[in-house]
Amino acid sequence: MKRLAFLSLAVSLMTGATAFPGVTDLVHFGLRSSSPAADATVAAVEEIRLTFTQVPQENSATIRLVNAGGDLVETGELQSDPNDATTVFVAVGTALAHGRYTVAWRGIGDDGHVVRGDFGFTVAAQR
Ligand SMILES: [Cu+2]
């Protein structure tokens, strides 16, 4: 009984700690949110915007947009959001044909590890 209570206290302390924005070393670098969102279906895409759990190390973040055929889709240069250092984005210059796309990202957080991930979204056919 006592041991269980102690364990649940320890767990709540651990999970609670991640809620403090200053304690970044407890939150591993990763993707917090994106636009388009993962698995979203959208009418059009003007930019790919990613928000990470930490500020990525300088020049470590990349965003690659790949179409259903596996071809790289040209995007603008990666930029950081001047109002939020955890957010980076690339402009998508041309209107995307309908279909499935993959966003492949990469970045390095506080601990120096390269973290990669990807997610998909769909551009809906025009009505
Ligand atoms: Cu790491």
Side-chain angles (χ1 to χ4, degrees), residues 36 44 53 65 79 87 100 103-104 121 123-124:
T53 55
L65 179 61
Q79 298 180 64
T87 296
R100 180 92 178 150
V103 175
F121 67 86
V123 175

Side-chain angles (χ1 to χ4, degrees), residues 27-29 54 109-115:
V27 183
H28 200 251
F29 184 86
Q54 300 173 359
D110 295 342
D111 67 7
H113 299 154
V114 178
V115 181

